[in-house]
Amino acid sequence: MATTFRALVARKTAPDAKGHAVSLETVDDSILADGDVTVRVTHSTVNYKDGLAITGRSPILRTFPVIPGIDFAGVVEESASPDFPVGAKVVLNGWGVGETHPGGYAERARVKAQWLVKLPDGLTTAQAMAIGTAGYTAMLCRMALDRFGMTPDRGPALVTGAAGGVGSVAVALMAAAGWEVIASTGRMEEAEYLKSLGASSVIHRDELSGPGKPLGKERWAAVIDSVGSHTLVNAIASTRYRGAVAACGLAQGMDLPGTVAPFILRGVSLLGVDSVMCPTPDRVEAWSRLAKELDHGKLAAMTSHIALEDVPRAAQDILAGKVRGRLVVDIG
């Protein structure tokens, strides 16, 4: 008898329709794709990209029917890989899971072993998804700045979209490393929350979100940006001489309406950060560092929990900027 389980499934509303609908269903293993490891999913999360996928605001979902959810954590149930024995706790981010391959919004997932990372000691599966792809991406940004040679003695660090998922973890990580953190947000009512995570000061996003000058006053040495568009351009324009900007998102837009002035007059460097196809050694390093460097108390303070059936509503909320910090989906 086939194993049945609950899953959120996205299906086309009609064979030739552009739109899709997402509903909670009872399904069996026939909906899963090929893979050598089957995982009992205990937790997932809602990232900005999940919001785009579920609502259809961006063509993230590229095959139907499909289970959305770009990440998950859980326990191995079946395995043909010696690297991931039955009972191992694992985490997955990206690799097209939740886009072209059935994803994390289900009680079961079947994936390729090379897509998985063993959960480091010190993290539960719930904490792994409190971090999620957003927090893992924040660590990749931190790693990019570290590898470039950026250190707190160079000056302050700016974090844009600071009250969101990437931003909240980035604030905590940079503050823990000794940086003076300037947090940019459109929700000034979250200023105390951001300061509790380690921000030294909070500025309104309006300072950065409109068209600006090719060069601004030198204000920060490093930047972690998840917003893109004018915000990223203005962040670059106010970066100090030979500073660096790690860019990982497009919440405002994917355009870059700026000039080369900061690059050729101040030697500013723009560091692109990709989480989806990131090589495994970097993934292992990121998760190992998150287990050691991210304050668990601050992680708990930025985290809320929802049920699987609440995900479609949460997808709307995250795109509307109504979600603070991280959302963990308690699945099983």
Side-chain angles (χ1 to χ4, degrees):
M1 181 179 294
T3 300
T4 60
F5 55 94
R6 297 189 312 147
L8 278 181
V9 182
R11 299 182 184 274
K12 283 286 189 180
T13 52
D16 58 348
K18 292 184 178 180
H20 63 265
V22 178
S23 60
L24 185 61
E25 302 181 16
T26 298
V27 296
D28 61 34
D29 281 0
S30 64
I31 199 170
L32 300 179
D34 292 339
D36 44 7
V37 180
T38 301
V39 178
R40 175 173 57 83
V41 179
T42 62
H43 299 88
S44 187
T45 184
V46 183
N47 302 284
Y48 191 85
K49 189 174 184 179
D50 293 311
L52 294 173
I54 289 172
T55 63
R57 282 262 298 271
S58 185
I60 305 296
L61 303 181
R62 301 184 183 278
T63 185
F64 296 90
V66 67
I67 299 169
I70 64 171
D71 52 11
F72 63 78
V75 181
V76 173
E77 282 195 328
E78 303 170 17
S79 179
S81 169
D83 294 326
F84 298 97
V86 171
K89 295 181 180 179
V90 294
V91 60
L92 181 144
N93 309 95
W95 297 116
V97 170
E99 301 179 49
T100 58
H101 189 101
Y105 294 148
E107 292 174 332
R108 281 167 68 84
R110 184 184 297 129
V111 296
K112 296 180 180 180
Q114 60 263 39
W115 295 349
L116 295 169
V117 172
K118 282 187 179 179
L119 202 61
D121 292 340
L123 282 181
T124 66
T125 54
Q127 288 171 325
M129 286 297 99
I131 295 168
T133 290
Y136 149 71
T137 303
M139 177 54 86
L140 292 178
C141 290
R142 164 81 187 281
M143 288 163 54
L145 293 171
D146 288 350
R147 291 173 179 178
F148 191 77
M150 299 305 298
T151 51
D153 60 302
R154 298 281 298 275
L158 171 71
V159 175
T160 66
V166 174
S168 292
V169 178
V171 168
L173 287 173
M174 295 298 279
W179 287 86
E180 175 191 344
V181 178
I182 301 170
S184 169
T185 181
R187 293 176 276 172
M188 293 303 288
E189 67 273 15
E190 302 290 5
E192 290 307 311
Y193 160 74
L194 292 168
K195 289 180 179 178
S196 75
L197 298 181
S200 301
S201 59
V202 181
I203 63 174
H204 198 284
R205 70 181 175 201
D206 287 352
E207 292 189 32
L208 302 170
S209 60
K213 298 178 180 179
L215 284 175
K217 180 181 178 182
E218 295 182 64
R219 300 175 66 181
W220 33 73
V223 179
I224 293 179
D225 174 71
S226 60
V227 179
S229 192
H230 290 291
T231 297
L232 175 55
V233 168
N234 289 321
I236 294 168
S238 289
T239 298
R240 294 183 179 182
Y241 184 73
R242 291 205 168 182
V245 178
C248 65
L250 43 64
Q252 185 180 11
M254 65 190 305
D255 57 328
L256 195 65
T259 75
V260 298
F263 307 116
I264 64 174
L265 297 179
R266 289 186 182 159
V268 173
S269 294
L270 180 59
L271 312 175
V273 175
D274 163 63
S275 65
V276 177
M277 304 303 290
C278 179
T280 296
D282 285 352
R283 292 170 181 267
V284 172
E285 179 184 346
W287 280 103
S288 176
R289 290 184 61 175
L290 284 161
K292 297 172 184 175
E293 299 176 29
L294 183 59
D295 184 289
H296 288 188
K298 291 181 178 179
L299 180 62
M302 69 177 79
T303 302
S304 300
H305 290 252
I306 62 173
L308 186 56
E309 53 265 33
D310 298 326
V311 169
R313 174 187 53 78
Q316 298 279 354
D317 288 345
I318 200 167
L319 296 188
K322 296 179 180 179
V323 174
R324 182 179 84 174
R326 305 291 297 124
L327 285 178
V328 171
V329 184
D330 295 324
I331 291 182

